[in-house]
Amino acid sequence: MRLYHLQTMVGENLLRYLRVKGYTKTALSKMTGISRPTINQILEGKSPNPKKYEEQLGKITEALDLPNDYFEEFSGIQEEKWQLPSTQDSDRSTISNKSPLTQELLNDLDELLTVAAFYVKG
């Protein structure tokens, strides 16, 4: 349950790792079998259940072939400007009254921008 108490930091480190390594949240969801909304909760540090959180984090580190405590202290690769989140509002918004279509479009836009960032790096 140690990581549950550090979930804000773990979420930030996981998001940084995903962006640096080029993984999308949708890809992580498919790799782990964890739903996209739950992935968002993990990244935001807002998982309500400690036991479930630890289990889901285990699935994530296993899928990425990393040690269980990797995101506790991840300092990893430095992000370049092109790797910084560009649609942060779509993932970190506290407004929960978005229509499902709006949320889906924002998620798709975030995925497209993540992919496009790799081409901008050149």
Side-chain angles (χ1 to χ4, degrees):
M1 304 288 170
R2 178 181 88 251
L3 292 177
Y4 181 77
H5 298 292
L6 302 171
Q7 65 177 309
T8 301
M9 181 182 61
V10 169
E12 290 170 0
N13 290 340
L14 175 57
L15 182 62
R16 184 179 304 113
Y17 179 88
L18 295 176
R19 294 208 183 271
V20 168
K21 295 295 186 178
Y23 290 105
T24 63
K25 289 176 269 181
T26 299
L28 183 62
S29 175
K30 289 177 183 176
M31 290 169 54
T32 60
I34 300 171
S35 72
R36 175 68 192 269
T38 301
I39 294 290
N40 282 339
Q41 279 185 332
I42 292 169
L43 293 173
E44 293 170 3
K46 295 181 180 178
S47 295
N49 183 318
K51 185 176 180 179
K52 193 77 170 160
Y53 176 78
E54 297 282 337
E55 178 184 309
Q56 292 161 339
L57 210 51
K59 287 181 180 181
I60 291 169
T61 54
E62 182 179 327
L64 298 173
D65 197 28
L66 299 169
N68 285 340
D69 62 349
Y70 185 80
F71 296 108
E72 182 178 345
E73 298 179 16
F74 174 70
S75 59
I77 305 164
Q78 291 296 322
E79 293 178 311
E80 295 179 23
K81 186 175 181 179
W82 65 271
Q83 293 170 312
L84 296 173
S86 52
T87 59
Q88 196 168 13
D89 286 345
S90 69
D91 295 331
R92 302 213 184 235
S93 178
T94 57
I95 301 171
S96 59
N97 60 353
K98 294 178 192 164
S99 73
L101 177 59
T102 300
Q103 188 60 53
E104 182 180 346
L105 290 171
L106 287 171
N107 289 341
D108 290 346
L109 176 61
D110 189 39
E111 298 291 326
L112 288 170
L113 289 171
T114 299
V115 171
F118 289 105
Y119 294 100
V120 172
K121 180 183 178 188

